[in-house]
Amino acid sequence: MGVKILVSGPVRGAHGALFAAASKAQSKIGPVAALFCVGDFFGERVDEAAVNALPDAPIPTYFITGGDVVDNDLADRLAAKNVRWLGRSGCEDVAGLRVGFLGGALGGDFEDDAPADGSDSPHYRREDLETLAIASGAYRADGGMDVLLTSDTAEGASACLGDGDERKDAVDAGASAPLGAALAELKCSYHFAASQGDGWSLEPYRCGAGGFARLARLHALPRRGLAKSLRAFDVAPFFASFPTGFKSRGAKLKTETKIVEGPARPVYGAPNRPEEPAPWQPAEKKEKRQSIYAPGSSLANPSKKKRKRMGAPHGPQF
């Protein structure tokens, strides 16, 4: 059984309308574990007054930013209940799902260093993509994400579409080449992004620049107020047993996820200190072997007489 989630496109400050629509959706489909928002969450005005005016959410709500910026100080002082900024980039467990996220849009400062304190900025950097790859376990055989949240779409998503497909121009609009290249390593089941116009879906599509073999479900959601800006999904937690530290790790089988124990970190405290080596002891002397010709032996040639040499079998005897 999957995890029911709601995903919204750019909210741009229309939080009351979003939460009302989320409550209405929940009354129709049943309990929802989380609401995820991609794209501009606050809009052009992001200050303390805008943060304080944020209403309480009826569902645990997690958002990333697009061109708007939320600094750490404001994010820590969110007065609204059930609303949280996920951060610049990373991966964490949300409602039983492994959720990766990358906030911001592609800009001219892509090669610059990311802020050392992890504060938000309108543009993501190469370091942020690397952080997402490492946090999601992209370089591990058992790593990956159930859900990937980005405000940008990835270049190469349209590789699976024909020339006459009406979605091709919309899919290619504003697509990020670095994100498309990163999707060659990132593994996810669902990818949710912000659309610059009407919403569209590729389910499944070959993710990554040039059309890689890995398949994922990509949904670009439009801004609040347009059709299908809020959608519901039932996500099966494929990567729910993602390894964290030295805890249990998951191994993908044909129809299930099996939990196996990971390597235990050695702790050399008093209770777990290795046993003291045993004091030195001289090696045990082995019993000396007795010769078969020793006195009193009844084995070969007990009389020790010299044997006659008979010569070759076909030669003369002497």
Side-chain angles (χ1 to χ4, degrees):
M1 186 175 179
V3 178
K4 290 182 181 179
I5 62 172
L6 292 174
V7 185
S8 170
V11 182
R12 297 183 179 178
H15 305 113
L18 170 67
F19 296 152
S23 297
K24 184 178 180 180
Q26 186 170 225
S27 65
K28 291 182 178 180
I29 65 175
V32 175
L35 166 61
F36 298 107
C37 302
V38 295
D40 295 344
F41 187 72
F42 287 100
E44 297 179 357
R45 179 169 165 261
V46 186
D47 54 19
E48 189 164 359
V51 171
N52 291 335
L54 186 66
D56 296 342
I59 304 169
T61 302
Y62 304 86
F63 70 91
I64 59 174
T65 56
D68 52 347
V69 178
V70 181
D71 62 35
N72 286 342
D73 189 43
L74 283 177
D76 290 340
R77 297 206 309 272
L78 282 174
K81 295 180 180 179
N82 284 340
V83 181
R84 186 164 75 85
W85 173 52
L86 285 171
R88 287 184 62 91
S89 68
C91 188
E92 61 179 74
D93 291 311
V94 176
L97 301 174
R98 286 297 296 174
V99 178
F101 51 90
L102 175 70
L106 179 64
D109 51 359
F110 177 70
E111 298 295 344
D112 295 348
D113 293 335
D117 60 353
S119 59
D120 197 18
S121 65
H123 302 146
Y124 55 82
R125 316 291 167 78
R126 183 180 297 277
E127 184 179 338
D128 295 321
L129 283 174
E130 186 65 22
T131 299
L132 171 60
I134 294 173
S136 65
Y139 307 122
R140 306 171 62 113
D142 54 358
M145 300 166 283
D146 297 303
V147 172
L148 172 61
L149 306 174
T150 66
S151 291
D152 269 355
T153 55
E155 184 180 273
S158 64
C160 61
L161 301 177
D163 294 335
D165 198 304
E166 298 178 353
R167 297 172 294 174
K168 193 173 182 63
D169 292 339
V171 172
D172 290 335
S176 167
L179 179 58
L183 283 171
E185 302 292 343
L186 299 175
K187 293 170 284 188
C188 64
S189 295
Y190 286 83
H191 179 191
F192 300 110
S195 172
Q196 294 188 355
D198 294 334
W200 47 267
S201 298
L202 298 177
E203 188 173 356
Y205 85 111
R206 296 186 182 278
C207 58
F212 290 93
R214 186 177 301 116
L215 298 178
R217 301 167 182 86
L218 171 59
H219 300 276
L221 295 105
R223 62 176 173 81
R224 186 71 202 153
L226 295 181
K228 297 184 178 180
S229 63
L230 180 67
R231 296 186 59 183
F233 298 89
D234 195 346
V235 180
F238 182 85
F239 295 106
S241 59
F242 183 86
T244 303
F246 284 81
K247 297 180 181 178
S248 59
R249 61 180 63 191
K252 176 68 173 60
L253 299 181
K254 289 184 178 180
T255 57
E256 62 179 353
T257 301
K258 179 183 177 182
I259 302 298
V260 295
E261 290 301 318
R265 184 192 296 271
V267 180
Y268 295 125
N272 300 319
R273 182 173 298 167
E275 296 182 0
E276 298 279 339
W280 179 85
Q281 295 288 343
E284 183 179 356
K285 292 184 178 181
K286 295 183 179 180
E287 185 179 356
K288 189 175 180 181
R289 295 178 61 185
Q290 185 179 14
S291 172
I292 61 173
Y293 301 113
S297 175
S298 61
L299 300 177
N301 197 20
S303 61
K304 295 185 179 181
K305 294 181 180 180
K306 188 175 181 180
R307 295 181 177 179
K308 293 182 180 181
R309 185 167 176 268
M310 302 301 295
H314 306 291
Q317 300 286 328
F318 62 89

